[in-house]
Amino acid sequence: MPRILKTYGEECFYFSENFVRMSFPAEKVVEKVVEKVVEKVVEKISENQMKIVELMNQDSSISALQISKEIGISQRKTQENIAKLKELEIIERIGPAKGGYWKLLKK
């Protein structure tokens, strides 16, 4: 409990007569998940692949074209990097190319 209080603060607790409810701020949880993913895969992936994961975390519906423009690499290299990230089971595409989104798998 002290670690939770230290990390999230008292505002995540709600006390009632019969129970205690905790609500974790989503932003902090997402930040921690991204940190863990990055820590575990740093040795396995390139700098461009790291940038791709970060971009996908910021915008889960980002397209490969947008990624290539943001990073400054060709669409072909972007596709190769995405394929490698899928192979390493770091990311997964949910849904179709248009209308789908990226999901980070490693935690």
Side-chain angles (χ1 to χ4, degrees), residues 58-95:
Q58 293 170 5
D59 179 6
S60 63
S61 61
I62 193 167
S63 69
L65 178 60
Q66 290 171 311
I67 291 170
S68 65
K69 287 179 180 178
E70 190 78 29
I71 296 175
I73 59 176
S74 70
Q75 282 186 270
R76 174 76 179 140
K77 281 294 179 189
T78 300
Q79 292 293 346
E80 288 175 8
N81 283 315
I82 289 173
K84 179 69 174 177
L85 292 168
K86 286 180 181 178
E87 181 184 312
L88 292 171
E89 296 180 349
I90 295 169
I91 61 169
E92 176 184 20
R93 182 71 181 179
I94 307 294

Side-chain angles (χ1 to χ4, degrees), residues 10-59:
E10 293 179 14
E11 61 272 2
C12 71
F13 290 94
Y14 172 76
F15 296 94
S16 150
E17 204 173 296
N18 298 319
F19 63 92
V20 174
R21 180 174 49 188
M22 291 176 44
S23 298
F24 293 104
E27 291 175 11
K28 288 188 179 185
V29 173
V30 169
E31 287 173 15
K32 287 194 180 282
V33 168
V34 171
E35 286 175 21
K36 295 262 188 215
V37 168
V38 170
E39 286 173 10
K40 289 189 178 188
V41 297
V42 163
E43 300 89 33
K44 297 181 185 177
I45 64 175
S46 71
E47 185 177 326
N48 284 337
Q49 291 165 349
M50 291 273 290
K51 290 178 185 177
I52 290 171
V53 170
E54 290 171 10
L55 289 171
M56 288 177 175
N57 180 55
Q58 293 170 5
D59 179 6

